[in-house]
Amino acid sequence: MKQSILEVINISRTFAKARQAALKDVYLSVDAGEIVGIIGMSGAGKTTLLRCLSGLDKPDSGTIRLNGIDLAVSGTQKRVVLRQIGVIFQHYYLFSSRTAAQNIAYPLEIQGIDPQTIQARVAELLAYVGLAHRKDAYPEQLSGGEKQRISIARALATEPPLLLCDEPTAALDPKTAQDIVQLLLRLNRDLGVAIVLISHHMELIKRACSRVIVLDQGCIVETGESATVLTQPQHVLTRQLLSYAQGEVLA
């Protein structure tokens, strides 16, 4: 029996200026080593959900647990919990004044890890993502794919058991996007890292995810194994998403 690494229990989130809730009673779990895809139209609540899962935002109600520990804890305990979550963004968010190696080192530096250990870990990660030769390059000198690889390496620096990915291939050309997908699959296979993947690209979801969650207006409207949901969708929104991905428009 697989162990749930992430448990989301009836979380809701409403913003003051919004006409409706961004999230409404969302309930889900992610098993250790699993890759789960989250899909939905723009404004469905996908990014809000990811922000809540990463600790960047706080739900108004409900509970989020990582390895049984509530993310609502505070102080030192919260910092320890959040180190178990790596986040990969669409726009990389690398420090422009730091080299590739220094960007990867940052999460370890703020933990107070000794420089020798940091240097060894950074070298290991640069080699893993295939960019050892670019360690001294600054973000402006890197291609989009190289920036995303450095972002992935940085997210792995603290050896988290969970990665949250927000449209990790959206800004990349098709070939580079495929390379990033292969990297994510490899680290899932090699390291056993669980991945929550938000994407508009149905091919990415099909290739990478064992399970799919469909969000609509802050609610989960369909969930199940990707092989089933993406070939036999039950909800009209899921059918629309798949149709749009095929370049069709439903009447």
Side-chain angles (χ1 to χ4, degrees), residues 44-116:
K46 303 185 299 298
T47 296
T48 299
L49 175 58
L50 184 137
R51 287 180 59 83
C52 288
L53 298 182
S54 66
L56 294 173
D57 199 357
K58 183 178 179 182
D60 300 319
S61 60
T63 303
I64 302 173
R65 296 194 187 107
L66 183 68
N67 282 327
I69 302 176
D70 195 329
L71 259 64
V73 296
S74 58
T76 302
Q77 191 176 11
K78 181 157 189 168
R79 289 193 294 272
V80 171
V81 174
L82 292 180
R83 286 173 194 162
Q84 299 182 57
I85 303 172
V87 186
I88 300 168
F89 300 98
Q90 175 182 347
H91 298 296
Y92 324 124
Y93 294 114
L94 300 175
F95 295 109
S96 61
S97 60
R98 282 176 165 254
T99 64
Q102 291 168 341
N103 267 281
I104 297 170
Y106 180 74
L108 301 171
E109 291 172 357
I110 62 176
Q111 287 185 37
I113 306 297
D114 68 272
Q116 188 173 0

Side-chain angles (χ1 to χ4, degrees), residues 7-27:
E7 297 174 283
V8 178
I9 305 169
N10 299 118
I11 67 166
S12 296
R13 181 72 172 101
T14 301
F15 297 102
K17 295 182 180 180
R19 295 182 180 179
Q20 62 184 32
L23 298 172
K24 292 179 281 188
D25 295 321
V26 171
Y27 185 103

Side-chain angles (χ1 to χ4, degrees), residues 63-243:
T63 303
I64 302 173
R65 296 194 187 107
L66 183 68
N67 282 327
I69 302 176
D70 195 329
L71 259 64
V73 296
S74 58
T76 302
Q77 191 176 11
K78 181 157 189 168
R79 289 193 294 272
V80 171
V81 174
L82 292 180
R83 286 173 194 162
Q84 299 182 57
I85 303 172
V87 186
I88 300 168
F89 300 98
Q90 175 182 347
H91 298 296
Y92 324 124
Y93 294 114
L94 300 175
F95 295 109
S96 61
S97 60
R98 282 176 165 254
T99 64
Q102 291 168 341
N103 267 281
I104 297 170
Y106 180 74
L108 301 171
E109 291 172 357
I110 62 176
Q111 287 185 37
I113 306 297
D114 68 272
Q116 188 173 0
T117 300
I118 291 176
Q119 185 178 9
R121 179 64 175 157
V122 169
E124 177 187 5
L125 289 167
L126 281 165
Y128 189 82
V129 300
L131 289 176
H133 63 295
R134 301 291 276 156
K135 64 184 180 69
D136 295 323
Y138 288 89
E140 66 179 12
Q141 299 170 315
L142 300 172
S143 68
E146 289 174 334
K147 289 177 185 177
Q148 194 59 289
R149 285 176 179 271
I150 296 301
S151 176
I152 291 170
R154 180 181 60 185
L156 293 172
T158 58
E159 301 181 79
L162 175 67
L163 282 182
L164 305 176
C165 303
D166 188 8
E167 297 283 2
T169 63
L172 305 175
D173 64 79
K175 172 61 171 65
T176 305
Q178 286 184 9
D179 292 342
I180 294 300
V181 172
Q182 289 302 316
L183 176 58
L184 292 174
L185 290 172
R186 179 159 61 93
L187 67 89
N188 171 258
R189 181 182 65 249
D190 295 347
L191 309 178
V193 179
I195 299 174
V196 175
L197 176 62
I198 291 176
S199 180
H200 285 97
H201 296 166
M202 291 299 108
E203 283 303 315
L204 169 56
I205 297 295
K206 289 177 183 178
R207 289 181 59 191
C209 302
S210 58
R211 190 156 52 91
V212 178
I213 293 168
V214 186
L215 272 181
D216 183 31
Q217 297 182 14
C219 299
I220 294 178
V221 296
E222 187 166 2
T223 184
E225 293 184 1
S226 59
T228 300
V229 172
L230 299 179
T231 59
Q232 304 172 45
Q234 300 300 304
H235 195 276
V236 63
L237 176 69
T238 313
R239 294 196 294 270
Q240 287 177 336
L241 288 168
L242 292 170
S243 181

